mmCIF file of all heavy atoms in Angstrom:
data_model
loop_
_atom_site.group_PDB
_atom_site.id
_atom_site.type_symbol
_atom_site.label_atom_id
_atom_site.label_comp_id
_atom_site.label_asym_id
_atom_site.label_seq_id
_atom_site.Cartn_x
_atom_site.Cartn_y
_atom_site.Cartn_z
ATOM 1 N N ALA A 1 0.821 -1.220 0.000
ATOM 2 C CA ALA A 1 0.000 0.000 0.000
ATOM 3 C C ALA A 1 0.852 1.265 0.000
ATOM 4 O O ALA A 1 0.362 2.342 -0.341
ATOM 5 C CB ALA A 1 -0.935 0.002 1.210
ATOM 6 N N HIS A 2 2.130 1.141 0.372
ATOM 7 C CA HIS A 2 3.018 2.312 0.456
ATOM 8 C C HIS A 2 4.241 2.164 -0.443
ATOM 9 O O HIS A 2 5.296 2.746 -0.189
ATOM 10 C CB HIS A 2 3.463 2.520 1.911
ATOM 11 C CG HIS A 2 2.349 2.903 2.810
ATOM 12 N ND1 HIS A 2 1.571 1.969 3.455
ATOM 13 C CD2 HIS A 2 1.848 4.112 3.150
ATOM 14 C CE1 HIS A 2 0.648 2.579 4.161
ATOM 15 N NE2 HIS A 2 0.779 3.874 3.990
ATOM 16 N N GLU A 3 4.092 1.394 -1.527
ATOM 17 C CA GLU A 3 5.251 1.110 -2.384
ATOM 18 C C GLU A 3 5.858 2.356 -3.020
ATOM 19 O O GLU A 3 7.015 2.342 -3.424
ATOM 20 C CB GLU A 3 4.894 0.064 -3.439
ATOM 21 C CG GLU A 3 3.867 0.517 -4.449
ATOM 22 C CD GLU A 3 3.469 -0.606 -5.399
ATOM 23 O OE1 GLU A 3 4.017 -1.720 -5.297
ATOM 24 O OE2 GLU A 3 2.602 -0.349 -6.245
ATOM 25 N N ASP A 4 5.106 3.441 -3.101
ATOM 26 C CA ASP A 4 5.641 4.667 -3.688
ATOM 27 C C ASP A 4 6.300 5.591 -2.667
ATOM 28 O O ASP A 4 6.814 6.654 -3.039
ATOM 29 C CB ASP A 4 4.528 5.437 -4.415
ATOM 30 C CG ASP A 4 4.025 4.668 -5.640
ATOM 31 O OD1 ASP A 4 4.797 3.852 -6.201
ATOM 32 O OD2 ASP A 4 2.851 4.867 -6.016
ATOM 33 N N ALA A 5 6.291 5.213 -1.396
ATOM 34 C CA ALA A 5 6.889 6.053 -0.354
ATOM 35 C C ALA A 5 8.406 6.095 -0.524
ATOM 36 O O ALA A 5 9.035 5.126 -0.970
ATOM 37 C CB ALA A 5 6.543 5.513 1.029
ATOM 38 N N GLU A 6 8.974 7.218 -0.145
ATOM 39 C CA GLU A 6 10.433 7.360 -0.189
ATOM 40 C C GLU A 6 11.093 6.313 0.704
ATOM 41 O O GLU A 6 12.116 5.725 0.351
ATOM 42 C CB GLU A 6 10.812 8.765 0.286
ATOM 43 C CG GLU A 6 12.308 8.993 0.357
ATOM 44 C CD GLU A 6 12.673 10.342 0.963
ATOM 45 O OE1 GLU A 6 11.818 10.991 1.594
ATOM 46 O OE2 GLU A 6 13.846 10.723 0.814
ATOM 47 N N MET A 7 10.509 6.097 1.848
ATOM 48 C CA MET A 7 11.044 5.148 2.815
ATOM 49 C C MET A 7 9.884 4.664 3.677
ATOM 50 O O MET A 7 8.995 5.438 4.008
ATOM 51 C CB MET A 7 12.078 5.865 3.697
ATOM 52 C CG MET A 7 12.839 4.994 4.645
ATOM 53 S SD MET A 7 13.961 5.954 5.748
ATOM 54 C CE MET A 7 14.715 7.148 4.674
ATOM 55 N N ILE A 8 9.893 3.378 4.009
ATOM 56 C CA ILE A 8 8.909 2.817 4.927
ATOM 57 C C ILE A 8 9.676 2.325 6.141
ATOM 58 O O ILE A 8 10.728 1.688 6.006
ATOM 59 C CB ILE A 8 8.148 1.626 4.304
ATOM 60 C CG1 ILE A 8 7.406 2.051 3.047
ATOM 61 C CG2 ILE A 8 7.181 1.014 5.322
ATOM 62 C CD1 ILE A 8 6.804 0.881 2.279
ATOM 63 N N VAL A 9 9.133 2.595 7.319
ATOM 64 C CA VAL A 9 9.762 2.142 8.553
ATOM 65 C C VAL A 9 8.903 1.022 9.131
ATOM 66 O O VAL A 9 7.696 1.170 9.286
ATOM 67 C CB VAL A 9 9.900 3.294 9.575
ATOM 68 C CG1 VAL A 9 10.478 2.791 10.889
ATOM 69 C CG2 VAL A 9 10.767 4.413 8.990
ATOM 70 N N PHE A 10 9.555 -0.095 9.423
ATOM 71 C CA PHE A 10 8.892 -1.220 10.057
ATOM 72 C C PHE A 10 9.359 -1.272 11.504
ATOM 73 O O PHE A 10 10.542 -1.501 11.767
ATOM 74 C CB PHE A 10 9.235 -2.538 9.349
ATOM 75 C CG PHE A 10 8.767 -2.583 7.925
ATOM 76 C CD1 PHE A 10 9.644 -2.346 6.881
ATOM 77 C CD2 PHE A 10 7.442 -2.854 7.631
ATOM 78 C CE1 PHE A 10 9.216 -2.381 5.561
ATOM 79 C CE2 PHE A 10 6.996 -2.888 6.319
ATOM 80 C CZ PHE A 10 7.884 -2.649 5.283
ATOM 81 N N ASP A 11 8.446 -1.051 12.430
ATOM 82 C CA ASP A 11 8.742 -1.104 13.861
ATOM 83 C C ASP A 11 8.415 -2.520 14.324
ATOM 84 O O ASP A 11 7.252 -2.871 14.509
ATOM 85 C CB ASP A 11 7.884 -0.062 14.590
ATOM 86 C CG ASP A 11 8.150 -0.010 16.085
ATOM 87 O OD1 ASP A 11 8.894 -0.871 16.599
ATOM 88 O OD2 ASP A 11 7.597 0.895 16.740
ATOM 89 N N VAL A 12 9.470 -3.331 14.487
ATOM 90 C CA VAL A 12 9.292 -4.755 14.758
ATOM 91 C C VAL A 12 10.129 -5.157 15.974
ATOM 92 O O VAL A 12 11.335 -5.385 15.845
ATOM 93 C CB VAL A 12 9.707 -5.611 13.536
ATOM 94 C CG1 VAL A 12 9.419 -7.088 13.779
ATOM 95 C CG2 VAL A 12 9.029 -5.123 12.268
ATOM 96 N N PRO A 13 9.504 -5.246 17.149
ATOM 97 C CA PRO A 13 10.268 -5.637 18.337
ATOM 98 C C PRO A 13 10.951 -7.001 18.200
ATOM 99 O O PRO A 13 12.037 -7.206 18.732
ATOM 100 C CB PRO A 13 9.211 -5.668 19.443
ATOM 101 C CG PRO A 13 8.164 -4.721 18.987
ATOM 102 C CD PRO A 13 8.129 -4.871 17.488
ATOM 103 N N LEU A 14 10.353 -7.936 17.483
ATOM 104 C CA LEU A 14 10.934 -9.273 17.317
ATOM 105 C C LEU A 14 11.579 -9.436 15.942
ATOM 106 O O LEU A 14 11.521 -10.507 15.336
ATOM 107 C CB LEU A 14 9.854 -10.343 17.539
ATOM 108 C CG LEU A 14 9.220 -10.363 18.926
ATOM 109 C CD1 LEU A 14 8.111 -11.410 18.998
ATOM 110 C CD2 LEU A 14 10.252 -10.608 20.008
ATOM 111 N N LEU A 15 12.213 -8.394 15.454
ATOM 112 C CA LEU A 15 12.812 -8.400 14.121
ATOM 113 C C LEU A 15 13.792 -9.563 13.942
ATOM 114 O O LEU A 15 13.716 -10.301 12.964
ATOM 115 C CB LEU A 15 13.528 -7.071 13.863
ATOM 116 C CG LEU A 15 14.076 -6.884 12.460
ATOM 117 C CD1 LEU A 15 12.944 -6.594 11.492
ATOM 118 C CD2 LEU A 15 15.092 -5.753 12.425
ATOM 119 N N PHE A 16 14.707 -9.710 14.873
ATOM 120 C CA PHE A 16 15.724 -10.762 14.751
ATOM 121 C C PHE A 16 15.132 -12.132 15.062
ATOM 122 O O PHE A 16 15.453 -13.123 14.394
ATOM 123 C CB PHE A 16 16.909 -10.470 15.674
ATOM 124 C CG PHE A 16 17.712 -9.290 15.223
ATOM 125 C CD1 PHE A 16 17.510 -8.045 15.789
ATOM 126 C CD2 PHE A 16 18.656 -9.409 14.217
ATOM 127 C CE1 PHE A 16 18.239 -6.941 15.363
ATOM 128 C CE2 PHE A 16 19.389 -8.316 13.778
ATOM 129 C CZ PHE A 16 19.175 -7.081 14.347
ATOM 130 N N GLU A 17 14.257 -12.200 16.056
ATOM 131 C CA GLU A 17 13.667 -13.469 16.466
ATOM 132 C C GLU A 17 12.833 -14.105 15.360
ATOM 133 O O GLU A 17 12.770 -15.330 15.264
ATOM 134 C CB GLU A 17 12.801 -13.272 17.719
ATOM 135 C CG GLU A 17 13.584 -12.890 18.964
ATOM 136 C CD GLU A 17 13.895 -11.399 19.082
ATOM 137 O OE1 GLU A 17 13.669 -10.635 18.110
ATOM 138 O OE2 GLU A 17 14.384 -10.983 20.136
ATOM 139 N N THR A 18 12.214 -13.279 14.530
ATOM 140 C CA THR A 18 11.359 -13.797 13.445
ATOM 141 C C THR A 18 12.093 -13.892 12.111
ATOM 142 O O THR A 18 11.514 -14.338 11.122
ATOM 143 C CB THR A 18 10.119 -12.896 13.269
ATOM 144 O OG1 THR A 18 10.546 -11.575 12.939
ATOM 145 C CG2 THR A 18 9.249 -12.892 14.515
ATOM 146 N N GLY A 19 13.344 -13.456 12.059
ATOM 147 C CA GLY A 19 14.109 -13.500 10.819
ATOM 148 C C GLY A 19 13.778 -12.369 9.859
ATOM 149 O O GLY A 19 14.285 -12.322 8.738
ATOM 150 N N ALA A 20 12.938 -11.424 10.287
ATOM 151 C CA ALA A 20 12.519 -10.334 9.403
ATOM 152 C C ALA A 20 13.669 -9.384 9.063
ATOM 153 O O ALA A 20 13.590 -8.663 8.070
ATOM 154 C CB ALA A 20 11.359 -9.556 10.037
ATOM 155 N N HIS A 21 14.742 -9.401 9.848
ATOM 156 C CA HIS A 21 15.887 -8.529 9.558
ATOM 157 C C HIS A 21 16.519 -8.861 8.203
ATOM 158 O O HIS A 21 17.178 -8.014 7.608
ATOM 159 C CB HIS A 21 16.937 -8.620 10.677
ATOM 160 C CG HIS A 21 17.574 -9.963 10.814
ATOM 161 N ND1 HIS A 21 16.899 -11.065 11.315
ATOM 162 C CD2 HIS A 21 18.825 -10.382 10.507
ATOM 163 C CE1 HIS A 21 17.709 -12.112 11.311
ATOM 164 N NE2 HIS A 21 18.877 -11.721 10.823
ATOM 165 N N LYS A 22 16.283 -10.064 7.707
ATOM 166 C CA LYS A 22 16.838 -10.477 6.415
ATOM 167 C C LYS A 22 16.035 -9.928 5.237
ATOM 168 O O LYS A 22 16.446 -10.055 4.102
ATOM 169 C CB LYS A 22 16.874 -12.005 6.336
ATOM 170 C CG LYS A 22 17.753 -12.655 7.381
ATOM 171 C CD LYS A 22 17.604 -14.157 7.365
ATOM 172 C CE LYS A 22 18.341 -14.775 8.537
ATOM 173 N NZ LYS A 22 17.986 -16.185 8.711
ATOM 174 N N LYS A 23 14.883 -9.323 5.535
ATOM 175 C CA LYS A 23 13.975 -8.892 4.474
ATOM 176 C C LYS A 23 13.835 -7.373 4.373
ATOM 177 O O LYS A 23 12.914 -6.888 3.727
ATOM 178 C CB LYS A 23 12.606 -9.534 4.699
ATOM 179 C CG LYS A 23 12.642 -11.051 4.582
ATOM 180 C CD LYS A 23 11.290 -11.645 4.842
ATOM 181 C CE LYS A 23 11.130 -13.090 4.599
ATOM 182 N NZ LYS A 23 12.132 -14.024 4.853
ATOM 183 N N VAL A 24 14.731 -6.653 5.004
ATOM 184 C CA VAL A 24 14.692 -5.190 4.935
ATOM 185 C C VAL A 24 16.018 -4.671 4.392
ATOM 186 O O VAL A 24 17.031 -5.371 4.420
ATOM 187 C CB VAL A 24 14.367 -4.548 6.316
ATOM 188 C CG1 VAL A 24 12.969 -4.928 6.780
ATOM 189 C CG2 VAL A 24 15.397 -4.923 7.353
ATOM 190 N N ASP A 25 16.002 -3.435 3.909
ATOM 191 C CA ASP A 25 17.206 -2.860 3.313
ATOM 192 C C ASP A 25 18.202 -2.356 4.346
ATOM 193 O O ASP A 25 19.410 -2.341 4.091
ATOM 194 C CB ASP A 25 16.824 -1.681 2.403
ATOM 195 C CG ASP A 25 15.990 -2.132 1.220
ATOM 196 O OD1 ASP A 25 16.283 -3.202 0.656
ATOM 197 O OD2 ASP A 25 15.037 -1.413 0.872
ATOM 198 N N HIS A 26 17.679 -1.924 5.505
ATOM 199 C CA HIS A 26 18.551 -1.308 6.504
ATOM 200 C C HIS A 26 17.965 -1.593 7.878
ATOM 201 O O HIS A 26 16.803 -1.276 8.121
ATOM 202 C CB HIS A 26 18.627 0.205 6.259
ATOM 203 C CG HIS A 26 19.720 0.887 7.015
ATOM 204 N ND1 HIS A 26 20.965 1.098 6.483
ATOM 205 C CD2 HIS A 26 19.751 1.398 8.261
ATOM 206 C CE1 HIS A 26 21.722 1.725 7.371
ATOM 207 N NE2 HIS A 26 21.004 1.917 8.468
ATOM 208 N N VAL A 27 18.755 -2.184 8.761
ATOM 209 C CA VAL A 27 18.284 -2.510 10.106
ATOM 210 C C VAL A 27 18.754 -1.438 11.079
ATOM 211 O O VAL A 27 19.944 -1.173 11.206
ATOM 212 C CB VAL A 27 18.802 -3.888 10.572
ATOM 213 C CG1 VAL A 27 18.414 -4.147 12.029
ATOM 214 C CG2 VAL A 27 18.270 -4.994 9.665
ATOM 215 N N VAL A 28 17.773 -0.833 11.747
ATOM 216 C CA VAL A 28 18.046 0.163 12.778
ATOM 217 C C VAL A 28 17.629 -0.446 14.109
ATOM 218 O O VAL A 28 16.494 -0.884 14.267
ATOM 219 C CB VAL A 28 17.251 1.472 12.542
ATOM 220 C CG1 VAL A 28 17.520 2.480 13.654
ATOM 221 C CG2 VAL A 28 17.593 2.053 11.184
ATOM 222 N N VAL A 29 18.541 -0.484 15.045
ATOM 223 C CA VAL A 29 18.225 -0.954 16.390
ATOM 224 C C VAL A 29 18.175 0.253 17.302
ATOM 225 O O VAL A 29 19.115 1.053 17.344
ATOM 226 C CB VAL A 29 19.262 -1.980 16.892
ATOM 227 C CG1 VAL A 29 19.081 -2.262 18.380
ATOM 228 C CG2 VAL A 29 19.147 -3.273 16.095
ATOM 229 N N VAL A 30 17.059 0.402 17.989
ATOM 230 C CA VAL A 30 16.884 1.476 18.960
ATOM 231 C C VAL A 30 17.243 0.869 20.300
ATOM 232 O O VAL A 30 16.684 -0.148 20.704
ATOM 233 C CB VAL A 30 15.424 1.980 18.947
ATOM 234 C CG1 VAL A 30 15.219 3.040 20.001
ATOM 235 C CG2 VAL A 30 15.076 2.494 17.568
ATOM 236 N N SER A 31 18.192 1.477 20.991
ATOM 237 C CA SER A 31 18.736 0.824 22.171
ATOM 238 C C SER A 31 18.996 1.804 23.303
ATOM 239 O O SER A 31 19.145 3.012 23.090
ATOM 240 C CB SER A 31 20.058 0.136 21.768
ATOM 241 O OG SER A 31 20.573 -0.622 22.831
ATOM 242 N N THR A 32 19.029 1.247 24.486
ATOM 243 C CA THR A 32 19.417 1.990 25.681
ATOM 244 C C THR A 32 19.991 0.976 26.655
ATOM 245 O O THR A 32 20.059 -0.220 26.342
ATOM 246 C CB THR A 32 18.215 2.751 26.280
ATOM 247 O OG1 THR A 32 18.685 3.625 27.312
ATOM 248 C CG2 THR A 32 17.165 1.805 26.841
ATOM 249 N N THR A 33 20.362 1.418 27.822
ATOM 250 C CA THR A 33 20.883 0.476 28.811
ATOM 251 C C THR A 33 19.759 -0.443 29.279
ATOM 252 O O THR A 33 18.578 -0.090 29.200
ATOM 253 C CB THR A 33 21.456 1.210 30.032
ATOM 254 O OG1 THR A 33 20.372 1.887 30.697
ATOM 255 C CG2 THR A 33 22.538 2.203 29.641
ATOM 256 N N SER A 34 20.099 -1.606 29.772
ATOM 257 C CA SER A 34 19.070 -2.527 30.263
ATOM 258 C C SER A 34 18.316 -1.913 31.434
ATOM 259 O O SER A 34 17.109 -2.142 31.594
ATOM 260 C CB SER A 34 19.681 -3.873 30.640
ATOM 261 O OG SER A 34 20.688 -3.712 31.620
ATOM 262 N N GLU A 35 18.996 -1.103 32.231
ATOM 263 C CA GLU A 35 18.335 -0.437 33.360
ATOM 264 C C GLU A 35 17.273 0.544 32.858
ATOM 265 O O GLU A 35 16.157 0.580 33.373
ATOM 266 C CB GLU A 35 19.355 0.304 34.241
ATOM 267 C CG GLU A 35 20.341 -0.590 34.956
ATOM 268 C CD GLU A 35 21.516 -1.041 34.078
ATOM 269 O OE1 GLU A 35 21.751 -0.451 32.979
ATOM 270 O OE2 GLU A 35 22.175 -2.017 34.465
#
């Protein structure tokens, strides 16, 4: 539905667990300390 967008962002908490990281152009990890 958004194939004409300049960029689409997929917010996927289980990106690595589901293997979805292999299906995107660029993986961004949002991170902070465990605390």
Side-chain angles (χ1 to χ4, degrees):
H2 293 88
E3 66 185 358
D4 293 334
E6 177 186 15
M7 187 184 317
I8 300 172
V9 176
F10 297 100
D11 182 352
V12 184
L14 298 177
L15 186 75
F16 291 98
E17 293 83 350
T18 60
H21 65 289
K22 298 173 188 168
K23 296 179 173 36
V24 296
D25 296 320
H26 193 93
V27 174
V28 178
V29 169
V30 177
S31 186
T32 189
T33 65
S34 58
E35 294 81 15

